[in-house]
Amino acid sequence: MGCTSSLSSLAVVTPSSKKTSSTKKTSDRIARVLQKKKGEVDKAGNPITFEKILLRFDRLRSVLAYIKAVFALKSEGKSGLNYDGLKDSLQILHGPMEKDQIIELFEFVDLDDSKVIEFKEFLVALTVGHVLEIMPDIHEDETSTKGARPSKLIEVNGLTCSAADINGVMNLIVSAYLLFDPNGKGFISRDAVSAMIEEGKGGRNAMLSQQRWNEMDWDANGEIDFPEFVHAFSSWVDIDEDDE
């Protein structure tokens, strides 16, 4: 199961001053958690590698295809998800969530304040919610009925998926990000990526191609943050958001 992709560049938007404070707080929380996760990876002594990620691309495509099917189901033919659509989608993928948590995720990814989020923004919301551990199944006992999802999620357009599959993909995206942010700073520097590309020349690693990184939305400081990485990563695994 998978989808073909047409890579699209990331749109540059200017968040309203009203939202800047709340999104900055969320960004700071993400950076702190990523640093903690990096420490856990180092302590475990079994770091993810480029090769391991590439070997899992087929599974990534399959799970992301299911996530996209849920997105399409709840967007109901519109250009994206409104607040209720996001709430209903999260209900399927992660179980019931608190209203303020859903609002936080929605506002964090809806930088242009359009009140509608596109698929890649939806994927960012899912991954950020996973990183911040606000998704119910992350901190609830799977054997408990309170807040926990069933192990097998509902079938959508003939596609099926499990809670473990969703968690596995979210973890893999975080692991992929940490390859390029070795110190868990919360951002990836262009200089660090250029050095890694130079080091990896001659290999078959698609994630290290100069073209991939040129497509990223680098800011004036030559940096990209975690949400921007997730946004681009969805293109790297060939998820086409224009094939409806």
Side-chain angles (χ1 to χ4, degrees):
M1 280 176 271
C3 302
T4 57
S5 174
S6 60
L7 297 177
S8 58
S9 59
L10 307 182
V12 179
V13 295
T14 304
S16 65
S17 57
K18 180 179 180 181
K19 295 178 63 175
T20 299
S21 178
S22 62
T23 55
K24 176 65 166 58
K25 288 180 181 178
T26 303
S27 295
D28 290 344
R29 288 170 60 201
I30 293 171
R32 289 194 297 270
V33 174
L34 287 172
Q35 192 166 43
K36 178 183 176 182
K37 287 184 178 294
K38 177 60 179 175
E40 292 171 352
V41 170
D42 292 342
K43 187 176 180 180
N46 185 30
I48 194 75
T49 63
F50 297 122
E51 290 72 21
K52 288 181 181 178
I53 292 173
L54 290 174
L55 287 172
R56 298 178 190 178
F57 261 35
D58 284 344
R59 189 57 190 154
L60 275 166
R61 291 187 182 103
S62 175
V63 175
L64 291 180
Y66 178 83
I67 292 174
K68 185 180 180 183
V70 172
F71 171 87
L73 177 68
K74 294 304 177 181
S75 62
E76 299 177 344
K78 297 188 287 290
S79 58
L81 298 174
N82 56 20
Y83 169 82
D84 288 333
L86 177 62
K87 180 181 70 174
D88 292 344
S89 298
L90 292 174
Q91 173 75 32
I92 293 174
L93 296 170
H94 285 287
M97 293 178 60
E98 297 295 331
K99 182 177 180 179
D100 60 341
Q101 295 173 332
I102 300 172
I103 290 174
E104 178 183 9
L105 291 177
F106 192 96
E107 291 186 345
F108 184 72
V109 299
D110 181 32
L111 289 181
D112 60 358
D113 207 23
S114 66
K115 309 303 181 186
V116 174
I117 60 175
E118 300 173 352
F119 173 69
K120 290 181 182 179
E121 293 171 325
F122 174 54
L123 185 59
V124 170
L126 288 176
T127 313
V128 167
H130 177 84
V131 166
L132 296 180
E133 300 187 351
I134 61 177
M135 300 304 191
D137 68 291
I138 291 176
H139 53 74
E140 291 285 354
D141 185 346
E142 285 282 349
T143 62
S144 170
T145 57
K146 181 184 177 182
R149 294 176 299 167
S151 59
K152 186 175 182 179
L153 308 181
I154 67 169
E155 182 175 316
V156 180
N157 290 342
L159 301 176
T160 59
C161 199
S162 71
D165 290 332
I166 301 293
N167 268 348
V169 163
M170 297 297 105
N171 284 329
L172 194 60
I173 292 174
V174 172
S175 296
Y177 168 82
L178 289 174
L179 283 173
F180 302 99
D181 180 11
N183 297 316
K185 295 179 178 179
F187 62 87
I188 299 172
S189 71
R190 183 185 284 273
D191 289 343
V193 170
S194 296
M196 294 179 77
I197 290 173
E198 187 65 29
E199 183 180 329
K201 278 184 177 178
R204 296 183 299 171
N205 200 319
M207 289 185 66
L208 283 181
S209 73
Q210 187 69 59
Q211 179 184 352
R212 295 294 194 195
W213 289 97
N214 286 342
E215 290 161 356
M216 300 293 287
D217 185 24
W218 299 96
D219 63 21
N221 294 324
E223 299 171 351
I224 54 172
D225 60 18
F226 179 70
E228 289 167 338
F229 175 84
V230 176
H231 198 292
F233 189 84
S234 65
S235 291
W236 296 356
V237 291
D238 296 332
I239 293 297
D240 182 2
E241 65 179 354
D242 299 316
D243 64 356
E244 277 85 357

